[in-house]
Amino acid sequence: MRKIALTATAVALFAGLPLAAQATPADDLKSFREHFIKMFPGVPLEEYKNGVYAINADARSSWEAIEEFPPYEDELERGGELFNTPFANGKTYASCFPNGGKGIRQNYPYFDSASGKVKTLEQEINECRTTNGEKPLGWNKGDIAAISAYMASTSNGKKLNVKVPNDPRALEAYNRGKQFFYAKRGQLNLSCANCHYDNAGRMVRADTLSPALGHLSHFPVYRLKWNGLGTAHRRYGGCNKQVRAKPFPAQSDEYRALEYFHTYMSNGISVNAPSSRK
Amino acid sequence: MRKTARLVTTASALATVLGALSLSPQLAIAADAQVVEEGKKIAFDRKKGNCLACHLVDDGDLPGNIGPPLVAMKARFPDKSVLRAQIWDSTKANPNSMMPPFGRHEILTEGEIDKVVEYIYTL
């Protein structure tokens, strides 16, 4: 019964945004950006790649000190080694990606018209392994995060450029991600938007809430709390658990759709990965 | 869940009626320092009310600032049942409320909510 009630709330909320439901992704992007530009006047669009540090000067100075000797340096280096080490069959990761896997992060996730699905970078890293006879890696941390972070780092400075092609299946995936972002969930009844859109910049206890704009520019992220790198889907799971909702599995349809919408909303902001966070 | 809702609505309707006759059962415990103390514990407990996540409350450490400071509650809520209703289900007043619906989602029990109300009402 609770599940039904929650779904109903989500639907009702979404239906409460009739304009938004019909808006094109380009319209959504425009109003999403404008919301934050109004909320934090004087913060340039590009700054949002720094997450919460774009809007919190106090936290920023200690973060800048940490970034002088990046805690993710070893893992990033290991990611590069793994990326360049040939599989048992002699092929490399480079053979699976456009441009040898360099400078392509800004295009992910993308809608794959052959399969009709949203594809993430981590998904294709594992597909590359299995096509070449290797075992897939675990999704959230460890080697996959290191490889993904290395690949993303070769794209630093390139502006996110996720596309929603003119294909009803792509639009459907985008809209599912959008609905996920705005839907209230969990026992605490909170949406991603409640924390990272409506209340960005405010404090939940001692934590400043980061703006959703720019969220996906710097993943995988190194978190002090994790003591290592983690993917965006690892963070999604954590934010779902915080509101006492059951997290979805990493790389589930739900999280891939969410990442699709969420990254699209940051189009135009430079890749800046990895980065460190609390 | 719906049944609880109905029970509570009935209960608070009853309380309103009784209140009008100055016979509110809640009045009897209003002055009870022990209840207020327990209410404060529940309100501050991160696993229970966790009101400090969002509100400045009393002498609580590191309050958030998502909701308004909880001060002058008697002036803000002359009718105590309206305060209780806000805590029981904040989404009634504001469907997109950031505040969790403590009663509707059974985050707190009815008894715990009563105690939190008694505590908050002293602020």
Side-chain angles (χ1 to χ4, degrees):
Chain A
M1 182 132 134
R2 164 164 303 157
K3 212 184 278 149
I4 293 170
L6 287 181
T7 315
T9 318
V11 171
L13 255 183
F14 198 54
L17 301 164
L19 273 179
Q22 282 150 28
T24 65
D27 294 337
D28 288 345
L29 171 57
K30 187 158 173 282
S31 62
F32 200 86
R33 253 190 217 170
E34 279 168 2
H35 168 82
F36 290 104
I37 303 285
K38 231 189 258 158
M39 204 171 210
F40 306 106
V43 175
L45 181 64
E46 181 64 8
E47 257 303 307
Y48 285 90
K49 68 183 182 191
N50 294 322
V52 73
Y53 308 113
I55 57 163
N56 184 334
D58 290 348
R60 186 173 182 123
S61 54
S62 50
W63 169 69
E64 280 173 347
I66 291 173
E67 291 275 336
E68 300 244 337
F69 303 96
Y72 46 76
E73 211 159 55
D74 292 350
E75 253 186 305
L76 184 57
E77 201 180 322
R78 194 165 54 84
E81 281 161 17
L82 288 166
F83 182 84
N84 289 312
T85 307
F87 302 125
N89 69 2
K91 292 225 176 129
T92 60
Y93 286 104
S95 71
C96 299
F97 293 95
N99 200 36
K102 301 261 163 86
I104 59 169
R105 178 69 178 101
Q106 69 281 2
N107 303 322
Y108 284 81
Y110 73 97
F111 179 77
D112 173 43
S113 50
S115 65
K117 303 228 160 182
V118 171
K119 304 286 292 282
T120 65
L121 184 59
E122 285 83 15
Q123 203 177 13
E124 293 206 323
I125 290 171
N126 261 343
E127 276 178 19
C128 181
R129 294 181 59 83
T130 49
T131 347
N132 285 297
E134 302 284 332
K135 282 207 192 104
L137 302 168
W139 286 125
N140 281 329
K141 55 182 174 185
D143 288 356
I144 205 158
I147 295 167
S148 175
Y150 168 73
M151 291 178 74
S153 73
T154 68
S155 314
N156 281 347
K158 294 195 192 286
K159 291 182 181 354
L160 289 172
N161 185 25
V162 170
K163 299 207 168 79
V164 181
N166 191 7
D167 180 324
R169 298 169 304 171
L171 196 60
E172 188 271 331
Y174 169 88
N175 278 326
R176 255 192 302 120
K178 175 175 164 184
Q179 175 159 5
F180 195 107
F181 185 80
Y182 289 103
K184 284 181 167 286
R185 54 171 35 85
Q187 192 186 28
L188 299 187
N189 203 43
L190 290 164
S191 64
C192 314
N194 280 147
C195 285
H196 297 293
Y197 188 84
D198 304 332
N199 288 293
R202 295 229 174 87
M203 315 273 293
V204 180
R205 205 82 193 225
D207 286 320
T208 304
L209 291 167
S210 56
L213 184 62
H215 256 173
L216 266 292
S217 63
H218 48 272
F219 272 86
V221 135
Y222 179 96
R223 284 189 77 192
L224 299 179
K225 188 179 154 194
W226 292 339
N227 195 21
L229 289 169
T231 61
H233 292 200
R234 184 177 183 191
R235 184 79 229 202
Y236 287 169
C239 279
N240 275 167
K241 276 191 234 158
Q242 270 189 91
V243 301
R244 302 180 193 161
K246 192 169 179 286
F248 290 90
Q251 303 302 327
S252 55
D253 275 357
E254 287 83 359
Y255 281 176
R256 281 186 293 111
L258 175 61
E259 186 183 335
Y260 191 41
F261 166 79
H262 201 183
T263 315
Y264 184 91
M265 286 300 110
S266 295
N267 270 353
I269 297 172
S270 296
V271 177
N272 182 34
S275 190
S276 66
R277 294 290 184 270
K278 271 204 301 186
Chain B
M1 208 160 76
R2 208 169 281 149
K3 192 155 145 216
T4 330
R6 204 181 313 120
L7 277 178
V8 169
T9 321
T10 318
S12 48
L14 194 64
T16 315
V17 173
L18 288 174
L21 299 170
S22 297
L23 283 171
S24 168
Q26 287 173 7
L27 269 187
I29 52 167
D32 191 326
Q34 165 118 31
V35 170
V36 168
E37 192 47 42
E38 281 173 33
K40 180 173 182 177
K41 258 203 204 112
I42 296 161
F44 280 25
D45 185 336
R46 279 170 197 269
K47 300 222 162 72
K48 298 262 185 176
N50 199 17
C51 314
L52 284 165
C54 299
H55 296 279
L56 184 146
V57 193
D58 208 352
D59 58 356
D61 279 340
L62 298 172
N65 63 2
I66 287 165
L70 299 183
V71 292
M73 281 294 124
K74 283 196 183 103
R76 295 273 304 110
F77 295 92
D79 182 348
K80 206 194 267 182
S81 69
V82 176
L83 172 62
R84 193 183 194 282
Q86 166 69 25
I87 297 170
W88 199 84
D89 183 6
S90 55
T91 65
K92 266 258 167 73
N94 170 12
N96 191 37
S97 179
M98 172 92 179
M99 179 157 151
F102 289 97
R104 181 164 65 86
H105 274 200
E106 296 167 23
I107 301 164
L108 297 177
T109 65
E110 299 299 328
E112 285 170 336
I113 293 178
D114 287 336
K115 288 175 186 165
V116 168
V117 169
E118 291 308 323
Y119 164 59
I120 296 293
Y121 216 52
T122 66
L123 301 175

